[in-house]
Amino acid sequence: MSASKQGGTNFVVIAALFANLGIALAKFVAAAITGSSAMLTEGFHSVVDSFNQLLLLYGQHRGRRPPDEAHPFGYGRELYFWSFVVAILIFGVGAGVSIYEGWVHILDPEPLHDPLVNYIVLGVSFALEGGSWFVAMREFAAANRGKSWWAAVRKSKDPAGFIVLFEDSAAIAGLIVAGVGVWASQMWGDPRIDGAASIVIGLILGIVAALLAREAKGLLIGEGADPAVVTKVRAIVAARPEITAVNHVRTIHTAADSIFVAISADFRDQITMGEAETLIETIETELKAAEPMLSSIYIRPEKRENAATLPAEPPR
């Protein structure tokens, strides 16, 4: 990942971290004053989000370690592991606590006290979350120009950016639900509505967590490079007159900015072993110059009829 892109991602995560810490404190104070279950739930939600951002920063730090004998392709995919942990935390802690608190509040409702405090905190929280969301969306859009929002998430190999975007989107939706719950509880004098709002917030978090877990799982298992990168690699290899056919180009992201590529190509039969070695070195140099993310390149001379093929991608 380029220094500017890495710095942009870090800025998004750090901005979200500080916003959530301040919001969590304000929500807990408001919950203590008013007795709002939805506000208490929102406080836990912000605490979980803050811890998640710390985990993402930790994953980014660990992932930048250089390769060694134990991990010859580096530690870049450690970020994918911590991204999966974040998704589990959102589901288990964020969604679980929200639904539990809402159910308890429905069974044993507590009347709201001074709901004006809730409105003030919700307004401030919405402004801070909105600012964090805007920063995350701006960085994500800049890195994925020309792609639809969902396609960009599906193709992204840097989970930190879209996780913060998902979290902030869920947070804004949760604030709206919490505000409606407080207003409806006050309007109809039924504090159980506030508990129901807490359950809705938990369901929102559960859906977001499931989506994040699905994307993080794909990265953790190992996803190929963007088709444009594969096409570029294939074209460079196929352009060599000594190559009669490019059998396949297989790639896997070992980090957000690092790709391992394995190429099977049919060499002309007249080429000697020494000439093939020189040709492979030349092709590797060209490939790295054309695509700096190619950290490891493996080129295998192989007859076209002997090359294995892969089945089509299964539906997700």
Side-chain angles (χ1 to χ4, degrees):
M1 189 182 303
S2 65
S4 59
K5 186 176 179 181
Q6 179 70 53
T9 303
N10 282 342
F11 177 71
V12 169
V13 178
I14 292 171
L17 171 62
F18 281 104
N20 280 312
L21 287 174
I23 292 170
L25 179 61
K27 288 175 180 176
F28 282 132
V29 171
I33 295 174
T34 64
S36 169
S37 174
M39 189 59 65
L40 180 63
T41 292
E42 278 294 302
F44 283 119
H45 176 189
S46 295
V47 169
V48 172
D49 282 353
S50 300
F51 187 62
N52 289 342
Q53 272 102 52
L54 288 174
L55 287 179
L56 290 176
L57 290 172
Y58 178 73
Q60 288 177 333
H61 170 72
R62 297 277 296 178
R64 286 194 291 268
R65 289 180 296 168
D68 53 32
E69 290 186 0
H71 297 84
F73 295 110
Y75 292 80
R77 290 173 72 179
E78 186 159 347
L79 174 60
Y80 300 159
F81 167 76
W82 290 112
S83 299
F84 189 76
V85 171
V86 164
I88 299 302
L89 283 175
I90 293 175
F91 181 81
V93 180
V97 170
S98 298
I99 294 173
Y100 172 78
E101 283 293 330
W103 182 248
V104 169
H105 203 71
I106 290 175
L107 295 179
D108 186 19
E110 179 182 348
L112 296 179
H113 307 288
D114 194 11
L116 178 61
V117 176
N118 281 338
Y119 294 131
I120 293 174
V121 171
L122 286 172
V124 172
S125 299
F126 192 89
L128 292 174
E129 289 285 8
S132 177
W133 181 90
F134 176 78
V135 171
M137 176 58 80
R138 183 185 62 186
E139 293 291 335
F140 191 76
N144 296 279
R145 289 189 176 92
K147 298 178 182 177
S148 67
W149 192 80
W150 180 240
V153 171
R154 291 286 305 274
K155 297 298 182 182
S156 176
K157 310 303 178 184
D158 182 15
F162 68 73
I163 282 179
V164 172
L165 184 59
F166 270 57
E167 283 185 343
D168 286 346
S169 299
I172 290 174
L175 288 170
I176 294 173
V177 172
V180 171
V182 171
W183 173 83
S185 295
Q186 181 187 14
M187 178 63 64
W188 284 289
D190 188 351
R192 292 176 299 177
I193 298 176
D194 186 53
S198 182
I199 292 177
V200 172
I201 293 170
L203 294 176
I204 291 173
L205 291 176
I207 293 172
V208 169
L211 292 173
L212 290 179
R214 176 181 175 179
E215 296 305 314
K217 183 198 73 172
L219 292 170
L220 193 59
I221 293 173
E223 290 186 354
D226 189 281
V229 174
V230 176
T231 300
K232 184 190 299 184
V233 170
R234 180 179 289 273
I236 291 173
V237 178
R240 304 296 306 189
E242 301 89 344
I243 303 295
T244 61
V246 179
N247 302 321
H248 60 70
V249 177
R250 295 175 182 168
T251 60
I252 187 170
H253 267 268
T254 56
D257 60 341
S258 180
I259 300 171
F260 170 82
V261 58
I263 303 166
S264 169
D266 193 343
F267 287 42
R268 284 172 42 202
D269 294 338
Q270 295 80 6
I271 294 179
T272 66
M273 180 66 71
E275 291 172 337
E277 290 176 351
T278 301
L279 175 61
I280 289 173
E281 291 176 359
T282 302
I283 294 175
E284 288 180 352
T285 301
E286 291 180 4
L287 289 174
K288 288 185 177 180
E291 184 52 70
M293 285 199 300
L294 299 179
S295 57
S296 299
I297 302 172
Y298 172 73
I299 301 176
R300 177 184 180 182
E302 187 176 24
K303 291 291 185 181
R304 186 171 188 176
E305 58 270 20
N306 296 332
T309 59
L310 294 176
E313 179 185 6
R316 298 178 64 180

